[in-house]
Amino acid sequence: MEGQATLNRRNFIRLSALTGGGLVLGFNYFLSSCTTEQGSGQAFDLNAFVRIDTNGKVTIMSPNPEIGQGVKTSLPMLVAEELDVDWKNVQVEQAGLDTEKYSRQVAGGSGSVRESWESFRQVGATARQMLINAAAAAWAVSPGECTTENGMVVHKTNGKKMSYGKLVESASTLEVPKDVKVKSEGSFRLIGQRIPNIDNHAIVTGQYKYGIDTKREGMLYATIIRPPAFGMTLESFDDSEAKKSAGVSQVLRIENKIAVLGRSTWEVMQAAKKIKAQWKDDGTLESSADMTQKLHELLAKAPKDKPRRKDGNIAQAFASAAKVVELDFDAPFLAHNTMEPMNFFAHVKADGAELHGPIQLPERARKRIAELLKLPEEKISVMMTRMGGGFGRRLMTDFVEEAALVSREAGNIPVNVIWSREDDMTGGFYRPMYSYKYKAAIDKDNKLIAWHHHSAGVGGSASPDSFPAGAVAHYQVDTHSYETPVSTAPWRGPTHNYIAFSEQSFMDEIAHQTGKDPVALRLELLEQAKNNPAGKVNYEPDRFAAVIRKAAEISGWGKPKAANIFQGFAAHFSFASYVAQVAEVEKQADGKVKLKKMYCVVDCGTVVNPSGAETQVEGSIIDGIGHAMYAELTLTKGKPDQTNFHAYRMIRMSEAPEVEIHFIDSKAAPTGLGEPALPPAGAALANAVFAASGVRLKNQPFIKSGLFA
């Protein structure tokens, strides 16, 4: 089996006494070597283990960061499925960072379930077999005569039963079985069922503690004053009035920033307003309008760098073309705007540090803090909290670094650095700004023969292998990068979040100018990629075509509609998943349009938890529509113009469309799901607007077009 590893006694099973006489059967998720020896009566670090007590209660540790994608529920489901326990008897606990016991403790790239599908199931299956072997030995029967159900080993013939809790001690004395088979898809009892999020009750009742809620004895709160514009440096500051404020204990310079520490968030944030800082312009202050002009200038020049991808010869294809289709697109900076602003707790000591808070890449955070503080990584502990949103922003470590530096400079005291919404929107990282230029060649037979994507970006570049790559004989991608002081970061569905809009809009324009149905054109190209591919094809044409056909079917694509109803189509492959969407708009009496419904079909392989899966897809679509419609972050001389939600427009509940979701029934291993439904949403809407109005939307946010009711 792919991803399977050989287990040994040491890295699989540990038995120790629990308070109250319980017993523990533990095993490492990722089957890596563990050097801790078992001693009589010794208590073991159980972060990497499943615990089974004598009452049959099972505790499963969740090692991956929970960012709202549901992995704290879905990953333990994989173990519980193979372990064959009643979900009602399972409790889940968040594990801290431990690179020796876990691998890929990451929330990003829609990869948690995809990367853990085999290993988590194998661990559960091996534990289950150990318990079967223990029961078989007790009954003097063959293990093949036994099965399991709901935390019990059952003899198939005589019906004898024994609970897991009664078996853990004897199981610990047996050899660990090798090459244990996991369940076949047809025998799943838990996978594929609707399981509520493990934290739902605590969240809705206000009991759940996020990073922002972290408290320690002697802890101070801190707020940070950052440069008011990208490209400014701190020269000096007057903190005399701030220090007189109630509750304020310290004001510190931390590199190019100022930290205000005190007993409450409110007090330090109010005191920070009293600080008079002098900032120096380093000569790099630019407005976003200037950056757009620079990107256009780059695109007006012939590409100089080596193409990101080159199939065939686009120059010859365009020279012989019967028709050439061209479109340009612009994408603005976008803020991440997580519901929970950036925050982190740190307690730095002379010989180590404790870090606690919401982070998507805890290992990267630990490495960075080790570098900053000149401490060994093993002396730094990182505990993850559930995140109130991340969307790529918490892949960065700047806010963790701030907390660690403030703790050290304040005298090695515990601190919780908390950002305001204004801090979060103006001093953070943004989705890169892009300008794209597309050009396509059509031959005398009305066939697409060449595709040229030429892009320039502030902090990002195009994906060279997105569809229709592999389906067009002559295909080339050229990119430029324009450097500025503006900090950028991956934003939900990195690169794909905008390129899907531009590519799928351009595809729609090609269909329009060739007189082809947009769905038929896509299927024609996928047939080409399947039967006569050009260069690398990183998607499966048949799976891609299947979601397209299904989306057309469920939306009634091409069938008669009311005179004022129009549809737009888009499909995209990202994070190993296939998504096709249809947007349905209603044309009002004044000619403006209103989005009414989104149809969505997804092939993400096996769906582990339909409840969580639907939530991710629906959220992705609304997120994609909302940002394409309304969101934009602009800068004037390096200073963000939008400082809070009064100026940065987000989609409202009344504007969210009805969403109908279908998953392709698949027995393939799970693929990505947290991001793939976002990229095509804006394109489907834009193509529906074109169908209704004849106007091609080429720039975001769409609301500036004046076409929407």
Side-chain angles (χ1 to χ4, degrees):
M1 177 183 298
E2 183 180 354
Q4 185 170 313
T6 300
L7 302 183
N8 59 45
R9 182 182 203 74
R10 179 178 295 169
N11 66 27
F12 184 83
I13 193 164
R14 291 288 185 268
L15 186 68
S16 65
L18 290 176
T19 301
L23 296 173
V24 175
L25 172 67
F27 52 89
N28 186 290
Y29 271 119
F30 296 99
L31 320 182
S32 61
S33 177
C34 173
T35 58
T36 303
E37 294 290 351
Q38 182 177 345
S40 176
Q42 183 178 351
F44 292 90
D45 176 2
L46 299 176
N47 280 350
F49 304 114
V50 168
R51 302 196 297 267
I52 304 174
D53 66 27
T54 54
N55 295 320
K57 196 73 176 180
V58 177
T59 300
I60 302 178
M61 303 303 295
S62 181
N64 287 50
E66 174 57 66
I67 197 173
Q69 80 280 46
V71 296
K72 194 176 174 184
T73 304
S74 57
L75 293 182
M77 282 176 64
L78 302 182
V79 178
E81 173 66 71
E82 297 293 342
L83 191 54
D84 211 359
V85 292
D86 190 330
W87 186 252
K88 293 183 297 185
N89 292 325
V90 172
Q91 62 183 19
V92 179
E93 295 181 7
Q94 177 67 54
L97 175 67
D98 193 325
T99 53
E100 292 185 3
K101 296 173 180 175
Y102 304 123
S103 65
R104 201 189 181 279
Q105 288 185 272
V106 173
S110 296
S112 293
V113 174
R114 183 172 77 238
E115 298 296 329
S116 304
W117 173 247
E118 293 288 352
S119 59
F120 276 53
R121 291 171 64 214
Q122 181 66 27
V123 163
T126 304
R128 175 176 172 269
Q129 188 62 53
M130 289 286 288
L131 294 160
I132 286 176
N133 292 350
W139 294 330
V141 299
S142 166
E145 298 178 37
C146 303
T147 186
T148 57
E149 60 179 35
N150 293 331
M152 306 281 290
V153 178
V154 181
H155 191 275
K156 297 176 184 178
T157 304
N158 60 30
K160 284 184 179 179
K161 295 182 179 181
M162 194 178 301
S163 71
Y164 287 176
K166 292 182 178 179
L167 290 166
V168 289
E169 185 172 9
S170 56
S172 70
T173 67
L174 304 178
E175 289 299 317
V176 177
K178 298 180 180 180
D179 303 323
V180 176
K181 291 183 178 180
V182 295
K183 292 182 180 179
S184 62
E185 289 80 0
S187 61
F188 289 157
R189 298 178 183 177
L190 191 58
I191 293 174
Q193 300 301 308
R194 293 180 176 275
I195 304 297
N197 188 289
I198 200 76
D199 292 328
N200 274 355
H201 184 267
I203 291 171
V204 301
T205 57
Q207 299 175 64
Y208 200 86
K209 302 300 182 185
Y210 291 84
I212 209 166
D213 300 312
T214 303
K215 292 180 174 65
R216 294 286 192 278
E217 185 176 351
M219 185 190 85
L220 293 179
Y221 289 92
T223 191
I224 310 292
I225 301 171
R226 300 170 185 82
F230 291 96
M232 280 189 165
T233 54
L234 179 62
E235 286 194 314
S236 63
F237 64 93
D238 178 355
D239 61 3
S240 57
E241 292 301 314
K243 285 182 174 179
K244 297 176 185 178
S245 300
V248 172
S249 60
Q250 296 188 57
V251 178
L252 304 169
R253 176 166 184 161
I254 306 294
E255 298 180 331
N256 196 40
K257 306 168 187 176
I258 306 165
V260 183
L261 291 81
R263 67 188 175 191
S264 74
T265 304
W266 173 258
E267 287 173 321
V268 297
M269 287 184 175
Q270 295 308 303
K273 296 176 183 179
K274 300 177 182 179
I275 290 181
K276 299 173 183 178
Q278 299 298 317
W279 303 91
K280 180 182 179 181
D281 174 1
D282 65 3
T284 61
L285 303 186
E286 284 187 284
S287 299
S288 49
D290 299 329
M291 297 179 203
T292 299
Q293 180 61 36
K294 294 290 186 181
L295 297 183
H296 290 175
E297 290 174 4
L298 286 172
L299 292 180
K301 301 175 182 177
K304 293 183 179 179
D305 299 331
K306 182 180 179 181
R308 293 284 303 282
R309 175 165 175 160
K310 184 176 182 180
D311 300 329
N313 189 319
I314 62 169
Q316 290 182 6
F318 281 113
S320 64
K323 178 186 288 188
V324 174
V325 182
E326 296 184 74
L327 278 182
D328 297 342
F329 297 87
D330 285 319
F333 289 118
L334 293 179
H336 292 81
N337 282 332
T338 62
M339 182 64 71
E340 175 195 19
M342 299 303 106
N343 66 89
F344 223 80
F345 168 88
H347 188 188
V348 176
K349 304 175 185 178
D351 60 348
E354 177 194 358
L355 304 175
H356 190 100
I359 186 70
Q360 291 181 244
L361 288 177
E363 185 177 359
R364 175 192 286 179
R366 187 175 67 179
K367 286 180 181 296
R368 180 59 182 143
I369 300 308
E371 293 169 359
L372 280 176
L373 303 181
K374 295 180 171 51
L375 286 172
E377 287 187 38
E378 61 269 21
K379 295 294 184 179
I380 301 173
S381 67
V382 183
M383 184 61 199
M384 294 164 278
T385 59
R386 186 186 184 97
M387 287 167 262
F391 314 118
R393 176 63 181 90
R394 287 184 161 104
L395 293 170
M396 304 297 105
T397 63
D398 56 307
F399 52 99
V400 186
E401 295 169 33
E402 287 179 347
L405 290 174
V406 170
S407 176
R408 183 186 68 179
E409 297 305 310
N412 292 348
I413 62 173
V415 299
N416 195 351
V417 171
I418 298 178
W419 293 36
S420 68
R421 176 60 59 193
E422 288 79 7
D423 293 335
D424 207 51
M425 197 175 294
T426 63
F429 290 73
Y430 306 127
R431 195 277 301 271
M433 172 189 281
Y434 298 101
S435 289
Y436 290 167
K437 181 182 288 292
Y438 288 92
K439 189 176 179 181
I442 312 299
D443 69 9
K444 60 182 178 58
D445 297 320
N446 217 23
K447 182 180 178 181
L448 174 63
I449 59 170
W451 177 291
H452 184 210
H453 171 101
H454 191 188
S455 71
V458 176
S461 61
S463 170
D465 301 321
S466 291
F467 176 75
V472 182
H474 307 282
Y475 181 94
Q476 187 165 318
V477 176
D478 292 291
T479 65
H480 302 279
S481 181
Y482 179 66
E483 300 300 324
T484 80
V486 180
S487 52
T488 60
W491 190 93
R492 191 174 189 179
T495 304
H496 298 280
N497 58 56
Y498 190 78
I499 200 169
F501 159 65
S502 58
E503 284 182 344
Q504 289 296 296
S505 295
F506 188 51
M507 185 79 69
D508 205 65
E509 182 67 17
I510 293 171
H512 172 67
Q513 294 208 27
T514 58
K516 293 182 178 180
D517 176 81
V519 170
L521 174 60
R522 289 170 173 82
L523 293 175
E524 173 188 315
L525 289 169
L526 287 168
E527 195 67 20
Q528 174 78 9
K530 177 182 177 180
N531 297 323
N532 190 22
K536 180 175 69 173
V537 178
N538 69 342
Y539 50 84
E540 297 179 46
D542 286 342
R543 292 180 71 177
F544 210 157
V547 296
I548 290 174
R549 291 192 179 96
K550 184 66 176 180
E553 174 193 330
I554 66 171
S555 65
W557 180 266
K559 295 182 179 179
K561 305 282 188 307
N564 65 336
I565 299 297
F566 298 87
Q567 292 184 326
F569 198 93
H572 193 67
F573 172 75
S574 63
F575 305 99
S577 290
Y578 306 82
V579 179
Q581 295 175 357
V582 176
E584 193 165 87
V585 301
E586 182 180 77
K587 190 173 184 179
Q588 311 290 303
D590 60 1
K592 294 187 177 182
V593 299
K594 183 175 179 60
L595 176 61
K596 304 297 288 186
K597 185 170 183 177
M598 293 289 296
Y599 298 89
C600 181
V601 177
V602 180
D603 181 352
C604 59
T606 299
V607 177
V608 174
N609 183 359
S611 177
E614 288 176 359
T615 300
Q616 289 186 75
V617 171
E618 186 172 18
S620 295
I621 292 171
I622 293 173
D623 200 10
I625 290 294
H627 280 86
M629 279 281 290
Y630 305 111
E632 177 184 36
L633 193 136
T634 59
L635 299 101
T636 300
K637 292 188 178 300
K639 185 176 183 178
D641 299 316
Q642 295 76 26
T643 60
N644 210 316
F645 292 127
H646 70 286
Y648 189 95
R649 179 80 153 81
M650 301 285 282
I651 193 170
R652 297 164 184 158
M653 290 180 69
S654 62
E655 294 161 340
E658 177 187 354
V659 178
E660 183 176 331
I661 301 167
H662 292 257
F663 290 98
I664 297 293
D665 187 15
S666 173
K667 297 188 185 307
T671 51
L673 192 55
E675 296 164 286
L678 183 147
L685 173 57
N687 291 340
V689 170
F690 179 79
S693 67
V695 177
R696 179 69 64 194
L697 296 175
K698 297 183 292 181
N699 304 316
Q700 293 180 2
F702 298 161
I703 196 68
K704 287 187 172 181
S705 68
L707 294 170
F708 292 88

